């Protein structure tokens, strides 16, 4: 209904599914913002179908923060704008990055593990089981600038047979996770339940250099969970934002120590922190204007409205869909789901160690028959596109 609306709108598509819409959205006279770290490939696909510079282009917007929940119910708190804003105001100091001389931690990482977090599981194996942490410490100690800092790594393992075991390496971390990140030079942000990590943006805002998957292939692509190249915007920039993020990009967690060493080669920590601050300010300026661009376009010859046509299901088609859903729900549909580490959706799982953490999300993603299409077809024609 929104795509068919005759007046131009700025539509913000957020959440886990918006990175999987390449080729599926018709071009219209609306302005689309994909608030999703994995969405740059979708943005590129959408804009490639526009034929005139005046056509409203889609744009990337960051996914968001990891740790701003202010209530026990993560969904309720994420919808509580006033509480979230208060949390940001309470952390007003977060925008004032500490100089290198006041940092305590060379690198910090606090991460939970389970069967739906393959990238973190490989990171754990690299650091804990395969000697990666010793290599990491050797890199830190041989540089005079970092030898006086400490490294803090902590995993909480919720995989089967581990029962929430905590594994710590290096120095003990302070209990305030925000302050821990703020006092770190590097903050590791591996993919978790999603194809990305809210810690990327959070680390950057707190002045720590994010360490991320270069292409989300550190686990053979499982962590991308069906999304196209989740690191693309950060790694390469975009046509409307030609700036590469000064992050540490790692193509294999076994290469993490060497990637950090190369990142600091022939430069200083303070120089790298200054690059991060400059990039952040440039990004903030870019993002602030995106929601307002439509208003400016409307004053300067905005393209004509698109025309959309809905094709309903025939009576036989509708009855077939209902019968199919009835057959599906007559089975043991929940535990009949074949769970995999690369399946989309946070909490979208039958793994009990994860499902008990996200019971509100556990039944929304198992089969297309749960949520059949409402229309047989939906098409839009727009003078500014060839879709």
């Amino acid at each position: 209904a929104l795509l068919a609306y005759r007046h131009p709108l700025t539509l913000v598509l957020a959440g886990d599914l918006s990175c999987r819409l390449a080729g599926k959205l018709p071009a219209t006279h609306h302005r689309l913002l994909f608030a999703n770290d994995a969405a740059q490939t979708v943005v590129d696909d959408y804009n490639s179908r526009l034929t005139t510079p005046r056509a409203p282009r889609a744009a990337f917007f960051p996914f968001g923060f990891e740790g701003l929940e202010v209530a026990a119910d993560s969904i309720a708190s994420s919808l509580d704008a006033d509480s979230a804003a208060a949390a940001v105001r309470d952390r007003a100091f977060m925008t004032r990055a500490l100089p290198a001389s006041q940092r305590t931690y060379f690198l910090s990482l606090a991460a939970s593990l389970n069967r739906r977090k393959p990238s973190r599981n490989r990171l754990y194996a690299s650091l804990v089981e395969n000697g990666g942490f010793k290599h990491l410490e050797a890199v830190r100690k041989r540089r005079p600038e970092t030898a006086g800092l400490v490294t803090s790594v902590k995993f909480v393992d919720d995989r089967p047979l581990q029962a929430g075991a905590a594994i710590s390496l290096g120095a003990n971390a302070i209990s305030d996770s925000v302050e821990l990140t703020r006092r770190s030079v590097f903050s590791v942000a591996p993919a978790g339940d999603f194809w990305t990590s809210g810690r990327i943006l959070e680390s950057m805002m707190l002045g720590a250099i994010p360490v991320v998957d270069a292409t989300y292939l550190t686990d053979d692509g499982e962590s991308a969970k069906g999304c196209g190249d989740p690191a693309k915007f950060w790694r390469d920039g975009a046509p409307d934002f030609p700036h590469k993020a000064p992050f540490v990009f790692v193509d294999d967690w076994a290469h993490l120590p060497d990637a950090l060493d190369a990142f600091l080669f022939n430069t200083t920590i303070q120089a790298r922190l200054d690059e991060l601050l400059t990039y952040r300010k440039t990004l903030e300026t870019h993002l602030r204007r995106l929601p307002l661009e439509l208003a400016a376009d409307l004053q300067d010859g905005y393209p004509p409205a698109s025309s959309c046509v809905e094709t309903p299901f025939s009576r036989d088609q509708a009855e077939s869909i209902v019968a199919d859903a009835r057959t599906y729900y007559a089975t043991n549909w929940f535990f009949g789901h074949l769970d995999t580490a690369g399946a989309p959706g946070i909490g979208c799982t039958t793994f009990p160690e994860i499902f008990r953490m996200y019971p509100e999300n556990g039944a929304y993603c198992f089969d297309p028959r749960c949520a059949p299409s409402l229309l047989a077809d939906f098409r839009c024609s727009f003078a500014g596109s060839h879709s």
Side-chain angles (χ1 to χ4, degrees):
L2 288 175
L3 290 176
Y5 191 63
R6 66 188 183 91
H7 296 297
L9 302 171
T10 295
L11 303 177
V12 180
L13 288 80
D16 183 56
L17 297 177
S18 59
C19 66
R20 301 181 187 87
L21 296 176
K24 298 180 180 179
L25 285 178
T28 69
H29 63 293
H30 301 301
R31 170 84 160 145
L32 301 183
L33 299 182
F34 289 87
N36 182 318
D37 280 12
Q40 188 57 47
T41 54
V42 180
V43 170
D44 292 343
D45 168 78
Y46 184 91
N47 290 339
S48 71
R49 292 183 276 121
L50 302 177
T51 58
T52 171
R54 294 301 309 147
R57 306 183 74 78
F60 166 95
F61 208 87
F63 173 62
F65 288 97
E66 177 91 359
L68 289 183
E69 288 87 356
V70 293
D73 184 340
S74 60
I75 291 182
S77 64
S78 67
L79 298 176
D80 185 348
D82 291 337
S83 296
V88 173
R89 287 194 298 271
D90 290 343
R91 296 291 193 182
F93 67 82
M94 71 191 301
T95 60
R96 298 193 294 272
L98 292 175
S101 60
Q102 295 182 27
R103 305 285 172 130
T104 305
Y105 299 91
F106 171 63
L107 176 144
S108 64
L109 165 65
S112 60
L113 307 174
N114 62 47
R115 285 181 282 177
R116 291 296 305 280
K117 299 179 179 181
S119 182
R120 295 189 186 190
N121 296 339
R122 291 206 176 195
L123 176 58
Y124 171 87
S126 176
L127 292 177
V128 179
E129 299 172 354
N130 300 329
F133 184 77
K134 291 182 179 179
H135 187 188
L136 183 66
E137 284 292 84
V139 168
R140 176 185 66 80
K141 291 176 180 178
R142 72 168 170 254
R143 298 181 61 87
E145 191 181 24
T146 58
L149 302 176
V150 297
T151 303
S152 177
V153 171
K154 181 177 181 179
F155 293 99
V156 176
D157 197 341
D158 289 317
R159 290 175 294 182
L161 306 180
Q162 302 304 315
I167 301 93
S168 297
L169 301 172
N172 291 329
I174 57 177
S175 58
D176 187 331
S177 61
V178 170
E179 187 64 16
L180 172 67
T181 303
R182 185 169 176 256
R183 289 167 56 180
S184 301
V185 176
F186 297 105
S187 175
V188 187
D193 303 284
F194 284 102
W195 22 254
T196 185
S197 172
R199 290 185 180 137
I200 294 176
L201 189 62
E202 182 180 291
S203 298
M204 181 171 57
M205 293 298 294
L206 291 168
I209 299 168
V211 181
V212 302
D213 289 9
T215 59
Y216 282 68
L217 295 179
T218 58
D219 54 14
D220 298 324
E222 274 191 314
S223 284
K225 299 184 185 291
C227 297
D229 199 351
K232 189 176 192 299
F233 179 86
W234 303 120
R235 190 187 65 246
D236 301 332
D240 61 340
F241 187 75
H243 305 279
K244 299 178 180 180
F247 300 168
V248 179
F249 294 101
V250 182
D251 59 2
D252 187 315
W253 289 124
H255 302 157
L256 171 60
D258 293 333
L260 295 173
D261 199 26
F263 188 78
L264 293 176
F265 179 73
N266 239 8
T267 188
T268 65
I269 290 176
Q270 189 59 59
R272 286 300 198 181
L273 295 176
D274 290 343
E275 289 177 8
L276 183 70
L277 180 60
T278 299
Y279 174 83
R280 195 195 82 192
K281 290 180 177 178
T282 304
L283 178 64
E284 288 174 345
T285 299
H286 168 71
L287 296 177
R288 285 191 189 103
R289 69 174 177 79
L290 291 181
L292 304 177
E293 280 189 338
L294 180 62
D297 289 343
L298 289 174
Q299 300 173 12
D300 188 24
Y302 200 77
S306 48
S307 175
C308 299
V309 177
E310 299 178 354
T311 303
F313 288 114
S314 68
R315 182 186 181 93
D316 289 345
Q317 288 174 320
E319 290 178 350
S320 176
I321 290 172
V322 171
D324 197 29
R326 185 181 296 115
T327 300
Y328 173 72
Y329 281 112
T331 67
N332 188 6
W333 60 271
F334 182 83
F335 290 105
H337 170 63
L338 180 61
D339 215 334
T340 67
I346 181 171
C348 173
T349 180
T350 56
F351 294 150
E353 74 274 15
I354 310 168
F355 176 70
R356 68 172 181 263
M357 296 166 54
Y358 306 106
E360 69 273 17
N361 293 342
Y364 73 176
C365 61
F366 294 106
D367 192 282
R369 289 174 291 181
C370 296
S373 175
L374 299 178
L375 296 169
D377 193 26
F378 178 80
R379 295 179 183 271
C380 294
S381 58
F382 176 50
S385 78
H386 52 71
S387 62

